[in-house]
C-alpha cells in the first residue's frame, strides 16, 4: 500500500467513514490525521457546482461556469483534440472553484436515441466514444482536477434505472459496452470511475466482481478510485468488497456502521477495507495541492467553447449549394429557438452558463438586410395558429427563410426517456406551411440526439447544431454566411423512422430486465449489415468544399492515403477507417470503425494522412477462450 503508515493510524471506524460521503458533494475529513475532505461536482457539459446546500438532482442554483457542447455534440467533431480542449475548459472552471473531482465524461454507448441522457454520451460507436472521452480526461486532468469516467457500465435507459438489469452475452458486453471504457481508461487514465445504477447480467454494477475486479482493476490495470453514482449503492459492504472506494452521497452513519459491523463479524476482511482506503487516499491527499491554483478568464473560456462548437456543426443537407448565404440576403429568421437558444440538456448536467449567445442580438452583424423575425411556434408542443400565420406572412417577403427548430428541454433530460423520435408536431406543421410560400428554406436544428426527419424534404439546407454550448448561436451564424465551413460528421445513425432501429420493439426494458437482443448490431453496424437505408448515416456530413482520396497504401502499421481539397474554399475533412472481413467464420457486423483523423485543408491543398492500426483494429471477443483474439485471413480496409 502507498499510504500504509497513515492507514495504520486510522481506527476501523475512521476507515469505514472515509469510504462514505459526508454530504451531497464532499468526502469526510479526519482532522487529527490531516486528511482533508474533497469536493466532487457534475461536469459533462460544464461545471455544475451548487451554491449553498447541495442536491444531486440540480434543483438548487449552481455557480456560474462555462457551458461547453454536450458530449453528443462534441462527438460530431470527430476530433480528440477538440474534446481535450473542452476538458481543459471545464477543468479550469473546476480548479478555479475548488472542485477536486469532476464527474465527467459520460461515455456509455448510445444503444437507443430515445435514452433521456443520450445527449450526455458521445456515440453509438465504442471506439469513437473511447477516443473522445480519453481526450476530455487528459484535458481536464492537466488542469489539476481528477476526471471521473461514467457510468460504468451498460447504462442505456432512464426508465427503472435504479434496478433495471442490462442482460447481454459476454461478447456484446466486451465489444460494444466496455471497449469505450477500456480505451478511455487506458489512454486517458482518469482518477475516478463512476459505477452505473443498473445491474449487468443480474449483478449491480457497483457490486460486480466481473466489472470491477476482473476487468477494470484486473485486465485494464485501473489503479484509481471507484465512486458510486449518487444513490447508486445498494450495499456498502458488497461494493467495498468488489472494488468500490466511495459511496455517494452521504447516507448518515448507517453505511459506515454497516461496514464496521461487517468487519467485526468477519463478513469482510479488514485488509480489503484498508486497500480501498489506500486507493482513495491517493486522490484525497493530492487534491490539497491542486484546488484553487488555476487562473480563470471567462472571456477566453467562452471563446474556446465557440471554437469547439464550430468544429461540431454538421451540414446534413445543402441542395443546389444554397449555403453559404450572403450577408446581404433578405432572410426571414423564424423559430422560438432563435429567440432563446437551446444549447444544453437538462438534469444533473445543466450548467449555469456564464455567458450565453442568442441569435437575435447577433443578426445585425450577420444579416443586416433581414426582413424580420417571427417566433413561429410555442417551445412546447402547443398549437398556435397566430404564431404560425405570422411566420408565414413574414416568409412571403423574404428571399430565404432561416428556420430554427429543435427539441424542447423536457424532451431530453436525466430521469426520463423519450417516447418517440419526432420533433414536436407544431414545428412539423409550421414547416409544411412555410414550404408552400418560401422560395428557399434553411433549417438550423438543435437537439442532443437523432430525430426523424421526414419534414426535411421541405427544406433546401439542414444544419445540425446539436447542443452546442453557450457560444453555439454565433458559431451557427458564422457557418450560415460562410465565415467557417462546417466539417462535423454524425456520431450516431439517424433512422428514417424509429421502427427501423433494431431496439425499437424492446426498448426501454419495462420489466426487471432490459434485454440487449440486438447484440453487436447497434446503429451503423445494423444498417450496414441488414441493408437498411437511414435518413442520415453514421459518419455523414457535407461541406462547402469537396475532397478527393488517392494513393491508398497499407502495411503492418496502418493505412496511408492522400486527401486533396478540390473545392473553392478551405475546409475540414474527417477521414474514417473501417474494416470488413470477407468470408468471416466468426459473425461480425459488415463494417466497424477502427480509426479516424480530422484534417484541415486549404483550397487545392493535399495532405498525406496515416491512420495507424492498434490493438482494437482486428480483434473480436472469443467467448470460448474468454479473451480478445484475431481471426486470421484477409480484411478489407475501407476509407
Amino acid at each position: 500500500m502507498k499510504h500504509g503508515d497513515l492507514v495504520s493510524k486510522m481506527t476501523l471506524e475512521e476507515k469505514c467513514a472515509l469510504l462514505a460521503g459526508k454530504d451531497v458533494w464532499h468526502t469526510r475529513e479526519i482532522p487529527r490525521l490531516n486528511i482533508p475532505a474533497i469536493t466532487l461536482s457534475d461536469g459533462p457539459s460544464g461545471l455544475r457546482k451548487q451554491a449553498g446546500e447541495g442536491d444531486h438532482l440540480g434543483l438548487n442554483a449552481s455557480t456560474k461556469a462555462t457551458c461547453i457542447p454536450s458530449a453528443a455534440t462534441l462527438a460530431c467533431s470527430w476530433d480528440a483534440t477538440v474534446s481535450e480542449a473542452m476538458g481543459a475548459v471545464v477543468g479550469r472552471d473546476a480548479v478555479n472553484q475548488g472542485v477536486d473531482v469532476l464527474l465527467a465524461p459520460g461515455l456509455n454507448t448510445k444503444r437507443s436515441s430515445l435514452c433521456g441522457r443520450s445527449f450526455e454520451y458521445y456515440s453509438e460507436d465504442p471506439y469513437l466514444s473511447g477516443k473522445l472521452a480519453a481526450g476530455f480526461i487528459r484535458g481536464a486532468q492537466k488542469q489539476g482536477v481528477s476526471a471521473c469516467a461514467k457510468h460504468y457500465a451498460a447504462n442505456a435507459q432512464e426508465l427503472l434505472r435504479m434496478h433495471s438489469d442490462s442482460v447481454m452475452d459476454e461478447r456484446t458486453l466486451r465489444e460494444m459496452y466496455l471497449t469505450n471504457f477500456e480505451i478511455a481508461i487506458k489512454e486517458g487514465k482518469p482518477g475516478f470511475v463512476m459505477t452505473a445504477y443498473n445491474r449487468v447480467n443480474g449483478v449491480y454494477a457497483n457490486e460486480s466482481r466481473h466489472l470491477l475486479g476482473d476487468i477494470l482493476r484486473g485486465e485494464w490495470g485501473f489503479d484509481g478510485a471507484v465512486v458510486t453514482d449518487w444513490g447508486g449503492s445498494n450495499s456498502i459492504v458488497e461494493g467495498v468488497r468488489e472494488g468500490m472506494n466511495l459511496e455517494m452521497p452521504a447516507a448518515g452513519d448507517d453505511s459506515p456502521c454497516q461496514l464496521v459491523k461487517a468487519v467485526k463479524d468477519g463478513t469482510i476482511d479488514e485488509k480489503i477495507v484498508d486497500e480501498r482506503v489506500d486507493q482513495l487516499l491517493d486522490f484525497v491527499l493530492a487534491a490539497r495541492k491542486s484546488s484553487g491554483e488555476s487562473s480563470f478568464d471567462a472571456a477566453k473560456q467562452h471563446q474556446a467553447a465557440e471554437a469547439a462548437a464550430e468544429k461540431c456543426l454538421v451540414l446534413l443537407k445543402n441542395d443546389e449549394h444554397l449555403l453559404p448565404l450572403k450577408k446581404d440576403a433578405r432572410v426571414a429568421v423564424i423559430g422560438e429557438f432563435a429567440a432563446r437558444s437551446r444549447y444544453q440538456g437538462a438534469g444533473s448536467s445543466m450548467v449555469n452558463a456564464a455567458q450565453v449567445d442568442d441569435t437575435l442580438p447577433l443578426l445585425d452583424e450577420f444579416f443586416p438586410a433581414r426582413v424580420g423575425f417571427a417566433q413561429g411556434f410555442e417551445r412546447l408542443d402547443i398549437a398556435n395558429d397566430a404564431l404560425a400565420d405570422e411566420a408565414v406572412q413574414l416568409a412571403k417577403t423574404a428571399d430565404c427563410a432561416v428556420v430554427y427548430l429543435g427539441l424542447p428541454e423536457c424532451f431530453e433530460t436525466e430521469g426520463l426517456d423519450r417516447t418517440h423520435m419526432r420533433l414536436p408536431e407544431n414545428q412539423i406543421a409550421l414547416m409544411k406551411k412555410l414550404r408552400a410560400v418560401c422560395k428557399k428554406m434553411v433549417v438550423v436544428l438543435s437537439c442532443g440526439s437523432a430525430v426523424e426527419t421526414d419534414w426535411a424534404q421541405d427544406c433546401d439546407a439542414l444544419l445540425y447544431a446539436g447542443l452546442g454550448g453557450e457560444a453555439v448561436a454565433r458559431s451557427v451564424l458564422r457557418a450560415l454566411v460562410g465565415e467557417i465551413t462546417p466539417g462535423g460528421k454524425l456520431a450516431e445513425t439517424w433512422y428514417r423512422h424509429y421502427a427501423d432501429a433494431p431496439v425499437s420493439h424492446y426498448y426501454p426494458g419495462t420489466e426487471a430486465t432490459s434485454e440487449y437482443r440486438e447484440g453487436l448490431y447497434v446503429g451503423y453496424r445494423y444498417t450496414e449489415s441488414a441493408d437498411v437505408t437511414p435518413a442520415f448515416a453514421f459518419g455523414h456530413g457535407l461541406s462547402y468544399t469537396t475532397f478527393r482520396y488517392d494513393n491508398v497504401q497499407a502495411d503492418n502499421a496502418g493505412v496511408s492515403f492522400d486527401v486533396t481539397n478540390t473545392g473553392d474554399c478551405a475546409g475540414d475533412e474527417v477521414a474514417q477507417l473501417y474494416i470488413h472481413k470477407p468470408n468471416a467464420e466468426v459473425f461480425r457486423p459488415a463494417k466497424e470503425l477502427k480509426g479516424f483523423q480530422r484534417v484541415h485543408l486549404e483550397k487545392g491543398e493535399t495532405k498525406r494522412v496515416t491512420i495507424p492500426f492498434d490493438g482494437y483494429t482486428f480483434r473480436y471477443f472469443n467467448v470460448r477462450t474468454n479473451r480478445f483474439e484475431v481471426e486470421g485471413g484477409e480484411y478489407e480496409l475501407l476509407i
Side-chain angles (χ1 to χ4, degrees):
M1 292 195 299
K2 296 180 182 178
H3 309 286
D5 289 345
L6 183 57
V7 174
S8 67
K9 297 176 183 177
M10 299 170 68
T11 66
L12 175 61
E13 288 74 15
E14 287 172 333
K15 287 184 288 189
C16 294
L18 195 66
L19 301 182
K22 178 176 70 173
D23 53 31
V24 175
W25 299 115
H26 301 89
T27 62
R28 301 179 190 238
E29 62 277 305
I30 304 177
R32 75 177 187 86
L33 296 175
N34 294 318
I35 297 175
I38 60 173
T39 302
L40 305 90
S41 284
D42 286 315
S45 298
L47 182 69
R48 189 183 75 90
K49 182 184 180 184
Q50 286 188 288
E53 186 175 354
D55 72 278
H56 73 282
L57 297 177
L59 301 179
N60 291 343
S62 56
T63 56
K64 293 280 188 180
T66 313
C67 183
I68 65 169
S70 67
T73 304
L74 277 179
C76 293
S77 73
W78 287 64
D79 191 338
T81 64
V82 173
S83 186
E84 184 168 341
M86 291 302 93
V89 165
V90 184
R92 283 192 290 270
D93 277 355
V95 173
N96 181 66
Q97 297 191 32
V99 170
D100 305 298
V101 182
L102 183 65
L103 303 177
L107 62 141
N108 291 88
T109 299
K110 295 167 74 164
R111 180 185 178 217
S112 171
S113 297
L114 297 189
C115 176
R117 299 184 84 168
S118 189
F119 67 91
E120 287 190 44
Y121 300 145
Y122 291 100
S123 175
E124 69 187 32
D125 184 86
Y127 187 88
L128 180 59
S129 295
K131 291 290 185 178
L132 293 173
F136 185 97
I137 292 164
R138 288 192 297 268
Q141 295 193 157
K142 286 177 182 177
Q143 312 311 310
V145 63
S146 289
C148 178
K150 63 182 189 181
H151 305 88
Y152 184 72
N155 176 264
Q157 68 177 60
E158 291 297 281
L159 181 67
L160 305 175
R161 65 177 181 167
M162 302 300 288
H163 65 84
S164 177
D165 186 4
S166 298
V167 177
M168 70 195 81
D169 64 277
E170 186 69 8
R171 184 178 174 196
T172 296
L173 175 65
R174 293 297 194 108
E175 292 188 22
M176 295 303 301
Y177 298 96
L178 294 187
T179 291
N180 42 351
F181 282 95
E182 179 182 359
I183 294 171
I185 287 164
K186 287 182 176 179
E187 298 184 9
K189 302 187 184 305
F192 283 72
V193 167
M194 180 189 289
T195 53
Y197 288 127
N198 51 279
R199 296 178 173 96
V200 179
N201 290 331
V203 181
Y204 279 109
N206 192 60
E207 300 170 10
S208 173
R209 179 171 302 179
H210 187 48
L211 290 177
L212 300 183
D214 298 342
I215 298 173
L216 180 64
R217 295 197 186 276
E219 293 181 22
W220 300 346
F222 177 69
D223 61 357
V226 174
V227 59
T228 68
D229 202 344
W230 266 230
S233 174
N234 295 278
S235 167
I236 190 172
V237 176
E238 294 308 311
V240 168
R241 186 196 311 281
E242 304 306 343
M244 183 267 289
N245 301 90
L246 180 60
E247 179 188 273
M248 292 296 291
D253 291 329
D254 288 351
S255 288
C257 288
Q258 290 174 23
L259 190 55
V260 169
K261 180 178 182 298
V263 172
K264 289 182 176 179
D265 66 20
T267 302
I268 186 173
D269 193 323
E270 188 171 356
K271 291 181 179 178
I272 296 176
V273 174
D274 291 348
E275 183 178 359
R276 301 292 175 256
V277 169
D278 186 70
Q279 291 163 340
L280 183 60
L281 283 174
D282 255 2
F283 302 94
V284 171
L285 299 177
R288 288 181 294 178
K289 304 173 184 176
S290 62
S291 295
E293 296 178 358
S294 175
S295 59
F296 177 75
D297 187 321
K300 286 185 178 180
Q301 297 278 87
H302 185 79
Q303 290 171 2
E306 181 180 338
E310 292 175 357
K311 295 288 188 180
C312 301
L313 298 173
V314 185
L315 184 60
L316 294 177
K317 180 180 180 181
N318 194 22
D319 292 350
E320 299 180 5
H321 305 290
L322 175 59
L323 293 178
L325 300 171
K326 294 182 179 179
K327 279 196 171 185
D328 61 358
R330 298 180 66 259
V331 302
V333 178
I334 296 170
E336 210 273 344
F337 291 98
R340 184 162 54 93
S341 291
R342 172 81 205 287
Y343 61 93
Q344 66 171 325
S348 63
S349 68
M350 184 174 288
V351 178
N352 185 6
Q355 176 184 339
V356 179
D357 291 339
D358 283 316
T359 300
L360 296 186
L362 299 172
L363 289 179
D364 284 343
E365 178 182 349
F366 291 95
F367 290 114
R370 67 190 180 280
V371 299
F373 164 74
Q375 180 178 330
F377 56 85
E378 302 272 4
R379 201 174 188 92
L380 298 179
D381 194 3
I382 302 171
N384 189 322
D385 291 338
L387 289 179
D389 291 343
E390 179 189 13
V392 169
Q393 294 305 314
L394 180 66
K396 288 179 179 179
T397 68
D399 295 328
C400 178
V402 179
V403 187
Y404 284 73
L405 304 179
L407 293 177
E409 286 81 355
C410 62
F411 277 44
E412 297 181 288
T413 181
E414 178 181 0
L416 295 172
D417 296 310
R418 283 195 286 164
T419 58
H420 59 77
M421 263 181 63
R422 300 185 304 277
L423 283 183
E425 294 299 326
N426 61 349
Q427 296 183 36
I428 297 173
L430 175 63
M431 284 290 293
K432 292 179 180 178
K433 292 180 179 180
L434 290 174
R435 181 72 281 177
V437 301
C438 283
K439 299 175 183 177
K440 297 291 182 182
M441 182 162 35
V442 177
V443 168
V444 176
L445 183 62
S446 298
C447 51
S449 54
V451 296
E452 294 178 4
T453 55
D454 286 349
W455 50 265
Q457 63 186 351
D458 292 328
C459 68
D460 302 286
L462 175 56
L463 183 66
Y464 176 53
L467 299 180
E470 63 180 46
V472 67
R474 177 178 289 275
S475 300
V476 166
L477 289 168
R478 293 193 70 205
L480 292 178
V481 301
E483 289 185 4
I484 58 173
T485 297
K489 307 289 185 183
L490 289 181
E492 66 177 307
T493 300
W494 287 36
Y495 295 97
R496 292 183 181 276
H497 302 98
Y498 180 60
D500 294 340
V503 301
S504 60
H505 298 296
Y506 43 89
Y507 179 93
T510 58
E511 303 295 336
T513 61
S514 178
E515 298 172 357
Y516 287 50
R517 300 182 187 181
E518 72 282 358
L520 304 177
Y521 297 99
V522 176
Y524 76 89
R525 285 172 165 79
Y526 168 71
T527 58
E528 294 282 343
S529 302
D531 198 24
V532 173
T533 302
F536 297 106
F538 175 85
H540 170 72
L542 305 176
S543 175
Y544 296 157
T545 187
T546 54
F547 302 96
R548 185 182 70 240
Y549 288 72
D550 297 293
N551 305 320
V552 180
Q553 295 179 324
D555 56 26
N556 290 337
V559 58
S560 300
F561 46 90
D562 294 333
V563 182
T564 302
N565 183 341
T566 56
D568 296 326
C569 65
D572 288 7
E573 172 67 331
V574 177
Q576 304 165 37
L577 165 66
Y578 298 82
I579 66 159
H580 168 69
K581 181 74 173 73
N583 304 314
E585 294 186 14
V586 177
F587 78 90
R588 61 199 311 158
K591 74 178 190 184
E592 301 165 88
L593 180 71
K594 296 299 179 178
F596 57 92
Q597 185 172 327
R598 184 166 181 149
V599 56
H600 177 79
L601 295 165
E602 296 295 326
K603 176 183 176 181
E605 183 180 10
T606 298
K607 286 184 179 178
R608 188 73 175 166
V609 175
T610 297
I611 298 179
F613 300 147
D614 56 28
Y616 306 98
T617 305
F618 301 106
R619 76 179 194 175
Y620 77 98
F621 191 80
N622 188 330
V623 296
R624 293 183 177 179
T625 61
N626 197 40
R627 66 184 183 187
F628 281 99
E629 296 178 355
V630 174
E631 181 182 358
E634 293 184 349
Y635 288 79
E636 291 180 357
L637 306 176
L638 312 176
I639 305 298

